[in-house]
Amino acid sequence: MVALSFFGITCTTAVYAQSTNYTFNKKPLDQNVSVQLPLGSIKAKGWLLKQLELQKEGATGMAEELYPEDDNLGKNSDWLGGKGSGWERVPYYVKGLVALAYTIDDLGLKNKAQKYIDWTLNNQQPSGLFGPPKMKDWWPRMPMMYALQSYYEATNDKRVIPFLTKYFKYELANLDSDPLREWGKARAGDNMEIAIWLYNKTGDQALLALVEKLKNQAYPWTDIYTNNQFFFYGDDFQPKHMVNVAQALKLPAVYAQANALPIYRNAMAKGIEHIMHDHGQPEGLGSGTEFLAGRSSTQGVETCTVVEWMQSLETAARILSDASIGDQLEKVAFNALPAQFSRDFKNHSYYTLPNQVHSVDGAQGFNQDYSTGIISSPYSGFGCCRYNMHMGWPYYVKNSWVATPDGGLAVVSYGPMDVEALVANEQKIKISENTNYPFNEQIKLGIAVEDGTNFPLSLRIPSWCTKPQVKLNGINLNGVKAGQMYKIQRNWNNGDQIELNFPMEVETQTAVNNSVSITRGPIVYALEMQSSKKTIKNHKVLGFSDYEIIPTSAWNYGLILGKGKIDNIKVEQGVMPENPFDGTNTPIKLKLRAKQIPAWGLAYNKVSAFDVPFSPVSSTEKEEDITLIPYGAESIRLTCFPVIGEPKKAIKSLDEDFSQAMPTNWVFYGGGWYWKEGAIHSASNSSSGGYGIHGSKIVATGTNFADFTYQAKVNVNTAGDAGLMFRVSNPAIGADAYQGYYLGLNPTTGNIELGKSSNQKWIVIRSVKYPVKVNSNYTLKIVAKGNQFDVFIDGAKQPILSATDSEYATGCVGLRTYNAQATFDDVKVRNL
């Protein structure tokens, strides 16, 4: 039993000085909403503390030295009264810095943050506007308000409440003449959350009017999430930008406090369901490079997306009290978050990929492409992530426990930490959470409280656990069910012990191209690879460098599975190290059987792998034992595995009318694709910079046709061309990054053109003139038999085009656009 001392809790701790911060929703807001504990109430320990300490010694603690320019974190920053133009960068950084500083109670980090806080609070304009006077943008002020909120929770600095009150009065008075735009319009949920927080402090009714105005000026995120409308806005960058999508996930839940209609309470869950269906990645969130990017194993996730997705879940969890949100949060936090960073937290990768077998400099073809986008560097990709990433772990800690309006506490997410809080009638309590979770299955909660204190304690029971167990002082409790919040209401005594046991089974989850990813509890597992690291640049700050990572062992494995389960799986548990996300010393490894697939190799760009081949896949290679380690412990990884077996027999027909939603067995490569009104559409690529956008493809990867008829309705909505792909193999990102044929309609040139991609070059086989019009429906049909191709349009009996070519004999079918937006429907393929 853990030794506990109630009398060891003294009134000098920050949480008890801040008891006034236990301010729940005032009417007319929803009264059943939990609140954050004051910053500093929850102290990480064990492996979780190690992550925070690595931040302090690494990128967070050294950020000002790494980014000393006037426009970044330099002494001439405009957020310190200087001449720079820091925009969002300083607020992003200070938001995470404050949370880290007070979570680990570090004076040096507090001092780093204090100069930004003091300048901001001491230089508010008479009008109420704050921040750099020349900065005419609502958005960057939003993350700074989070920093001020956290700072107030930790210090009770009496400047904060009147400061925010004055600013919100200014905002309410000026939003009509200067409405939200671009980033502020996309991220208004952040602003709304702080306005509601302040309303609960002051009771100022004008703040509720401000929340309503902000909601009305924001993008209609509730409709977007509910109805899968991310690509419905044409050239508008914001609603399809995955960081915005992740960040705005909280908006409907935030607004639901003021309007409890089910549509607002349910919008986030529906949005996540749509995202995971169309763009889901095995580490628990949707791809975005930077637009939503589909389910391919070689599409990426941006660091900003990871931390913003986490914060949205953290906010929604305390508002909605839904246990499943904590499950989602843990999956992202324990997999996607550590995967973005080097093991010493000095570097990050702007994008990480589920199947990322190289981490090298070079173009990937993403919608927003950066040659440094997947290398490990303090400067990887675009600059936003290097400032925003610092809140990931500190916010996970500060939101892991919440105070409930019935005078109790609830667990949102688990980890090794100590919690000091007030319960019931402001009774002091300390809970010691001792665990190596999620690397093992047991969590012990030691209670230090005055004997006889009555309050409810709600424990999140993970939905993935089929046989959860809760013991109180050694006695099993009844009614414990997976996927629920389990409430214990009782008179608690000092020294009470709760033991949680969440047995973890190794499971498979289906991924792109009928592949599988392997999970155990909340952790996703990836192939352990031997690798070499090559330093490509040393930076002026000692100990910081860019490096590339390449594998020195095989990676192209398919798994040998039993009937729906893994046979002969071995779970190896080792000693718990300080940092379990160090792949060389991780405490959990999985051993299983596999075979190499020699035909699966690097894609055309020699930077990434080809997408995982469609399963099952045959292999004549010998069986081998392979090792999997946690996803977040790898810098290069293979997570979506093909399954070894006899390939499925070729289907004789394909009918797809897109009547319900985006079909999961169609995978897109480059650009964006979406479902609307019973058809499939290619999205606008305006503002994109990657070469993959010029030839967007969506491929029915599970098909294999040789001789066939293939027809579909095609409507080219803009300049450019669009049409049908056939006998396709090895599709990748890039206009001509595939092997196969393409039949396109071009209203700009007035041509119907049949051609092929051969050695990444477009070769015209035959072209004919035809009066193709923009925004007109055409039924395009290709009859392929051997090397003979006949093309028909709109039901004509005679082909409009005939040609021969023998390079490709069989392959998948798909749809493609080239520098165009288009609509497709009623795909029909028949074997001859």
Side-chain angles (χ1 to χ4, degrees):
M1 178 175 288
V2 179
L4 299 168
S5 171
F6 167 72
F7 297 103
I9 303 175
T10 69
C11 291
T12 59
T13 56
V15 61
Y16 303 123
Q18 292 305 300
S19 61
T20 54
N21 278 15
Y22 286 66
T23 307
F24 294 91
N25 276 354
K26 296 181 183 294
K27 292 183 177 180
L29 299 178
D30 183 356
Q31 300 293 286
N32 295 313
V33 172
S34 299
V35 297
Q36 293 176 332
L37 298 178
L39 180 62
S41 303
I42 307 172
K43 298 295 186 185
K45 57 189 181 184
W47 72 260
L48 189 53
L49 175 60
K50 183 64 176 180
Q51 306 310 305
L52 303 179
E53 291 173 340
L54 289 169
Q55 279 195 236
K56 172 193 169 183
E57 300 301 325
T60 306
M62 298 300 292
E64 293 178 359
E65 289 78 8
L66 288 166
Y67 318 118
E69 300 79 13
D70 290 352
D71 289 348
N72 296 324
L73 303 179
K75 295 179 180 179
N76 273 319
S77 165
D78 49 351
W79 284 94
L80 294 173
K83 64 180 182 179
S85 182
W87 193 50
E88 69 182 5
R89 296 166 204 154
V90 169
Y92 263 162
Y93 174 59
V94 178
K95 178 183 176 183
L97 177 63
V98 168
L100 177 63
Y102 287 92
T103 297
I104 63 174
D105 196 21
D106 184 86
L107 181 60
L109 294 180
K110 290 177 184 178
N111 289 336
K112 283 180 180 288
Q114 194 68 45
K115 60 180 178 293
Y116 300 108
I117 296 293
D118 284 343
W119 185 88
T120 300
L121 291 174
N122 293 335
N123 287 277
Q124 189 170 28
Q125 298 175 38
S127 66
L129 190 65
F130 75 88
K134 63 183 179 182
M135 186 180 70
K136 307 300 182 183
D137 193 341
W138 298 108
W139 150 241
R141 297 176 167 90
M142 298 180 193
M144 186 58 84
M145 287 190 286
Y146 274 123
L148 293 172
Q149 178 205 36
S150 293
Y151 171 73
Y152 176 79
E153 290 174 347
T155 67
N156 200 25
D157 190 317
K158 298 187 183 302
R159 295 175 294 174
V160 174
I161 298 299
F163 174 93
L164 289 174
T165 299
K166 189 174 183 180
Y167 172 67
F168 283 140
K169 286 182 178 179
Y170 170 87
E171 190 174 35
L172 182 60
N174 286 274
L175 275 173
D176 287 337
S177 59
D178 183 18
L180 297 175
R181 62 186 186 277
E182 295 180 341
W183 305 104
K185 184 178 178 181
R187 301 171 177 182
D190 294 30
N191 204 149
M192 294 161 61
E193 184 173 10
I194 300 299
I196 287 176
W197 176 82
L198 185 63
Y199 169 74
N200 290 325
K201 300 292 184 191
T202 67
D204 184 353
Q205 293 289 320
L207 291 166
L208 298 184
L210 174 61
V211 169
E212 196 71 31
K213 187 176 290 290
L214 289 164
K215 183 260 182 185
N216 290 335
Q217 287 194 8
Y219 283 96
W221 286 112
T222 299
D223 292 336
I224 291 171
Y225 295 130
T226 302
N227 300 308
N228 202 5
Q229 296 177 350
F230 306 103
F231 285 105
F232 281 27
Y233 293 80
D235 291 348
D236 193 338
F237 181 90
Q238 304 295 334
K240 59 190 174 185
H241 182 253
M242 183 52 95
V243 176
N244 288 343
V245 170
Q247 192 162 350
L249 278 171
K250 66 173 108 42
L251 187 150
V254 168
Y255 184 67
Q257 296 172 96
N259 187 332
L261 287 175
I263 191 172
Y264 298 115
R265 293 185 64 85
N266 298 334
M268 185 185 80
K270 289 185 176 180
I272 291 175
E273 183 180 356
H274 289 310
I275 293 166
M276 296 305 290
H277 181 276
D278 293 350
H279 313 279
Q281 302 285 279
E283 68 273 34
L285 69 177
S287 68
T289 54
E290 294 170 353
F291 298 170
L292 286 78
R295 299 174 65 240
S296 168
S297 66
T298 56
Q299 278 289 354
V301 175
E302 184 182 340
T303 301
C304 277
T305 297
V306 175
V307 297
E308 295 292 356
W309 191 292
M310 286 176 60
Q311 190 190 354
S312 284
L313 294 176
E314 290 155 357
T315 295
R318 64 175 178 79
I319 295 171
L320 302 177
S321 299
D322 182 344
S324 68
I325 298 174
D327 291 347
Q328 296 172 64
L329 172 61
E330 287 187 351
K331 190 166 190 179
V332 175
F334 299 151
N335 298 288
L337 182 64
Q340 301 294 136
F341 303 113
S342 61
R343 307 292 78 85
D344 57 7
F345 212 93
K346 290 183 176 180
N347 289 0
H348 70 283
S349 295
Y350 190 73
Y351 296 132
T352 60
L353 288 55
N355 285 3
Q356 183 176 328
V357 300
H358 279 177
S359 175
V360 297
D361 192 281
Q364 297 277 333
F366 299 140
N367 288 304
Q368 292 290 340
D369 216 7
Y370 310 92
S371 67
T372 61
I374 66 167
I375 67 168
S376 186
S377 166
Y379 304 89
S380 180
F382 191 68
C384 53
C385 294
R386 67 192 67 150
Y387 303 100
N388 193 22
M389 66 188 190
H390 307 279
M391 72 167 172
W393 283 121
Y395 265 61
Y396 180 83
V397 174
K398 79 190 286 279
N399 288 285
S400 56
W401 289 69
V402 294
T404 55
D406 55 4
L409 296 173
V411 185
V412 172
S413 51
Y414 292 101
M417 58 190 86
D418 290 332
V419 183
E420 295 185 2
L422 300 174
V423 295
N425 295 318
E426 297 199 348
Q427 292 294 309
K428 304 169 189 176
I429 184 173
K430 179 175 181 178
I431 299 179
S432 296
E433 185 176 353
N434 298 305
T435 183
N436 287 328
Y437 181 89
F439 303 97
N440 69 12
E441 302 167 334
Q442 287 76 39
I443 302 166
K444 293 182 178 180
L445 305 177
I447 311 296
V449 67
E450 185 175 328
D451 285 348
T453 301
N454 189 293
F455 69 93
L457 178 62
S458 296
L459 308 170
R460 195 192 100 251
I461 311 301
S463 59
W464 47 259
C465 184
T466 57
K467 296 180 180 180
Q469 186 181 61
V470 177
K471 291 182 179 181
L472 175 60
N473 297 328
I475 299 173
N476 277 323
L477 300 182
N478 296 323
V480 180
K481 295 181 180 179
Q484 295 185 0
M485 298 298 293
Y486 183 74
K487 182 183 286 190
I488 306 173
Q489 176 86 50
R490 72 188 298 268
N491 288 317
W492 296 88
N493 295 313
N494 191 46
D496 279 344
Q497 290 279 316
I498 296 173
E499 183 177 329
L500 308 174
N501 188 34
F502 299 145
M504 299 177 182
E505 295 183 3
V506 178
E507 297 180 339
T508 63
Q509 61 181 34
T510 302
V512 64
N513 287 338
N514 209 32
S515 65
V516 297
S517 57
I518 306 298
T519 63
R520 180 178 178 269
I523 294 184
V524 180
Y525 285 80
L527 177 68
E528 182 181 53
M529 283 188 262
Q530 303 303 312
S531 62
S532 65
K533 186 167 71 173
K534 176 185 176 183
T535 300
I536 57 176
K537 184 175 183 179
N538 288 312
H539 298 291
K540 292 181 180 179
V541 180
L542 186 65
F544 288 82
S545 60
D546 298 352
Y547 49 84
E548 295 181 329
I549 306 170
I550 60 172
T552 56
S553 60
W555 56 264
N556 52 349
Y557 285 100
L559 301 183
I560 299 172
L561 304 181
K563 294 181 179 179
K565 292 187 176 181
I566 305 173
D567 286 336
N568 301 318
I569 182 71
K570 295 180 181 178
V571 179
E572 295 185 350
Q573 293 185 295
V575 176
M576 186 69 181
E578 277 194 312
N579 183 9
F581 296 114
D582 181 346
T584 62
N585 199 27
T586 185
I588 298 289
K589 294 186 177 184
L590 306 182
K591 299 282 189 178
L592 60 160
R593 303 290 286 171
K595 288 185 177 183
Q596 285 191 52
I597 303 172
W600 183 22
L602 294 179
Y604 309 103
N605 58 13
K606 302 303 179 184
V607 172
S608 63
F610 276 116
D611 201 2
V612 56
F614 195 90
S615 291
V617 181
S618 63
S619 174
T620 59
E621 299 296 301
K622 69 179 187 303
E623 286 192 19
E624 300 180 48
D625 286 322
I626 63 170
T627 301
L628 308 187
I629 64 175
Y631 184 98
E634 289 275 33
S635 296
I636 56 175
R637 67 189 63 80
L638 190 77
T639 315
C640 299
F641 291 90
V643 177
I644 298 298
E646 288 300 317
K648 292 182 178 179
K649 293 181 179 179
I651 60 175
K652 295 182 178 180
S653 64
L654 173 68
D655 289 271
E656 183 56 73
D657 62 4
F658 307 108
S659 60
Q660 300 299 319
M662 184 82 79
T664 57
N665 56 343
W666 289 63
V667 183
F668 58 89
Y669 300 93
W673 294 81
Y674 64 100
W675 179 89
K676 182 181 181 182
E677 297 175 351
I680 195 170
H681 307 260
S682 62
S684 164
N685 288 311
S686 177
S687 303
S688 297
Y691 66 78
I693 65 175
H694 301 296
S696 301
K697 304 179 286 293
I698 186 165
V699 181
T701 51
T703 61
N704 187 21
F705 291 101
D707 296 342
F708 56 87
T709 63
Y710 173 18
Q711 74 174 41
K713 291 180 180 177
V714 182
N715 186 324
V716 190
N717 309 142
T718 65
D721 65 67
L724 314 182
M725 302 175 71
F726 57 97
R727 292 184 180 172
V728 173
S729 61
N730 291 330
I733 301 173
D736 300 316
Y738 65 101
Q739 295 169 310
Y741 297 103
Y742 169 68
L743 173 65
L745 299 176
N746 192 319
T748 305
T749 61
N751 284 341
I752 296 179
E753 189 170 270
L754 174 66
K756 64 181 179 180
S757 177
S758 181
N759 295 317
Q760 297 184 79
K761 294 182 180 179
W762 172 246
I763 299 173
V764 177
I765 298 172
R766 184 148 183 223
S767 178
V768 298
K769 288 291 183 181
Y770 192 86
V772 182
K773 296 180 180 179
V774 173
N775 288 321
S776 296
N777 285 313
Y778 299 93
T779 299
L780 197 57
K781 178 180 176 181
I782 177 83
V783 178
K785 190 170 184 179
N787 67 351
Q788 177 69 37
F789 307 124
D790 294 312
V791 176
F792 303 82
I793 193 164
D794 289 339
K797 300 298 183 183
Q798 297 297 318
I800 192 171
L801 180 158
S802 294
T804 60
D805 190 86
S806 58
E807 185 167 358
Y808 304 116
T810 187
C812 304
V813 296
L815 308 169
R816 180 179 181 269
T817 67
Y818 186 80
N819 290 341
Q821 296 174 56
T823 300
F824 302 86
D825 202 359
D826 294 336
V827 170
K828 293 182 174 63
V829 188
R830 298 288 184 273
N831 268 330
L832 291 177

